[in-house]
Amino acid sequence: MKKTSTRLADGRELIYYDLRDDTVRDAVDLRPLERTVTTSEVRRDPLLGDSVAIASHRQGRTYHPPADECPLCPSQGERLSEIPDSSYDAVVFENRFPSLAGDSGRCEVVCFTSDHNASFADLTEEQARLVLDAWTDRTSELSHLPSVEQVFCFENRGAEIGVTLGHPHGQIYAYPFTTPRTALMLRSLATHKEATGGENLFDAVLERELADERVVLETEHWVAFVPYAAHWPYEVHLYPKRRVPDLLGLDEDARTEFPQVYLELLRRFDRIFGESESSTPYIAAWHQAPFGQLEEFEGVNRDDFALHLELFTIRRTSGKLKFLAGSESGMNVFINDIRPEAAAQRLREVASS
């Protein structure tokens, strides 16, 4: 992998990740852009104890442009985009309309491929490995920013999810705090560790799932399963078998095997509901240990956390979506219409031949 960092016309950082070491990236952003001005701030809710990012400047962000005006495609002739070069393998740049910025963190866009009509599932194993390396590199770089406490790499796919740009891409949020979801996991870790005399909860969960009927896919270094208490109709958790706290901890064997496993999972998701709806909307979310101090989670350290990816769709059956209504949105109590065991069976049935 070759990494080339440059700047866009308004000062934002852009990084090319190339498969070939001899690739030259010297294209200049010729757009007459003014410096990006953001109004992002983080406010803490005193009742719930969580944080909310206020980012009113995002109302003016690009919304469903036609394909020939996509800002994530490479620049061609007089059509200038966020990527100055005429081609790329993978690229990461600072979001022009960030939810978090400055002392409130940082937001980046990750373009998986220059092919506008592709999806992550269409990538080759070599391309998927390049994206993994980009995620890992950005996790490392962002973790050293003084305002950053947790790094979150994720992909939203599909208009049903709320995606406003059709080009295959994901995002990276660098938060100035430990997110509520991660804090819940850390508290559960601490409680379980104390109650069992030192047992790791992630290890116990993984051991249980490996022995159950909800395993979807298992290889030498990875296991994917539908969790016992799945929140979503089709939800898969992907774990490396060797517990590591973040993407930086993966060894070469796990990195090499990841593209094969992950691409297969995504392709199965596209087959769940049949050919009539082959582009299943989903969210793919990497959970990594925070880089900040963990004193409030007594007895727990970063190495107790287990890196994992959660992949889920909001579609519950062909033509029908799972909406977060009163119980879910009002009380955060999920109601799942599909038994996790049945979802796992379906995901095994749609395996590639």
Side-chain angles (χ1 to χ4, degrees):
M1 178 189 77
K2 182 181 180 182
K3 175 183 175 183
T4 305
S5 180
T6 185
R7 292 282 172 181
L8 296 172
D10 55 6
R12 289 175 294 132
E13 185 178 18
L14 180 142
I15 307 158
Y16 294 98
Y17 292 91
D18 286 295
L19 294 168
R20 292 173 55 96
D21 291 336
D22 59 353
T23 303
V24 177
R25 298 295 184 187
D26 55 9
V28 177
D29 185 4
L30 300 176
R31 296 173 297 171
L33 298 180
E34 297 181 356
R35 287 274 174 174
T36 300
V37 178
T38 66
T39 57
S40 178
E41 61 175 309
V42 173
R43 298 183 181 181
R44 188 164 182 81
D45 186 318
L47 292 179
L48 297 179
D50 59 7
S51 298
V52 178
I54 309 297
S56 57
H57 63 278
R58 284 173 51 80
Q59 286 282 33
R61 65 188 185 272
T62 308
Y63 186 81
H64 292 299
D68 60 357
E69 296 180 16
C70 175
L72 306 185
C73 287
S75 294
Q76 298 287 342
E78 296 182 356
R79 190 177 70 81
L80 305 178
S81 74
E82 289 280 67
I83 297 89
D85 218 325
S86 59
S87 66
Y88 64 85
D89 292 332
V91 69
V92 176
F93 60 88
E94 289 183 75
N95 198 321
R96 191 177 178 185
F97 304 97
S99 302
L100 306 165
D103 293 338
S104 297
R106 175 158 157 154
C107 292
E108 298 182 339
V109 177
V110 184
C111 297
F112 305 138
T113 172
S114 60
D115 185 353
H116 181 85
N117 297 313
S119 68
F120 201 118
D122 296 321
L123 301 183
T124 65
E125 291 186 14
E126 184 180 35
Q127 289 174 307
R129 170 60 190 265
L130 182 65
V131 175
L132 174 64
D133 289 342
W135 283 331
T136 305
D137 180 70
R138 297 315 301 154
T139 296
S140 176
E141 293 291 329
L142 293 169
S143 71
H144 290 97
L145 296 180
S147 63
V148 172
E149 190 166 313
Q150 185 173 355
V151 179
F152 175 45
C153 306
F154 65 100
E155 179 192 1
N156 299 327
R157 188 180 86 161
E160 299 92 334
I161 297 292
V163 175
T164 58
L165 296 175
H167 196 102
H169 73 288
Q171 299 181 66
I172 302 175
Y173 277 22
Y175 297 101
F177 51 81
T178 296
T179 60
R181 184 79 176 271
T182 303
L184 285 173
M185 294 183 198
L186 291 169
R187 292 190 190 100
S188 295
L189 268 175
T191 300
H192 186 84
K193 191 173 187 178
E194 181 180 9
T196 59
E199 182 182 65
N200 184 279
L201 179 58
F202 281 111
D203 292 349
V205 167
L206 193 57
E207 181 179 0
R208 173 184 176 178
E209 295 293 355
L210 279 167
D212 219 314
E213 59 181 307
R214 291 177 300 277
V215 172
V216 173
L217 182 63
E218 182 180 0
T219 62
E220 183 178 357
H221 302 287
W222 294 88
V223 59
F225 57 87
V226 177
Y228 172 75
H231 289 57
W232 299 93
Y234 289 92
E235 174 182 342
V236 174
H237 292 193
L238 176 63
Y239 278 70
K241 288 186 175 179
R242 183 179 69 87
R243 173 164 46 88
V244 296
D246 51 44
L247 289 165
L248 284 72
L250 292 174
D251 60 25
E252 184 58 31
D253 288 338
R255 292 180 181 281
T256 299
E257 196 176 69
F258 170 77
Q260 170 194 344
V261 176
Y262 188 47
L263 291 172
E264 173 62 19
L265 280 179
L266 292 181
R267 290 162 186 167
R268 291 190 191 192
F269 258 59
D270 276 346
R271 290 192 290 268
I272 296 174
F273 304 108
E275 293 185 4
S276 62
E277 298 188 56
S278 60
S279 295
T280 300
Y282 65 72
I283 293 175
W286 280 109
H287 291 264
Q288 306 191 79
F291 289 94
Q293 300 299 315
L294 301 179
E295 285 92 346
E296 64 178 292
F297 309 104
E298 188 174 350
V300 171
N301 57 55
R302 289 194 79 251
D303 290 336
D304 290 322
F305 196 87
L307 168 76
H308 61 285
L309 182 142
E310 296 184 8
L311 173 68
F312 62 90
T313 179
I314 62 171
R315 185 169 288 161
R316 56 188 175 88
T317 188
S318 182
K320 297 179 181 179
L321 301 180
K322 164 67 176 177
F323 292 100
L324 300 189
S327 185
E328 291 89 355
S329 295
M331 284 293 153
N332 201 27
V333 177
F334 276 68
I335 300 169
N336 193 347
D337 299 326
I338 298 178
R339 293 188 74 249
E341 292 75 15
Q345 176 61 32
R346 177 59 180 155
L347 286 163
R348 288 193 296 268
E349 291 173 350
V350 295
S352 298
S353 57

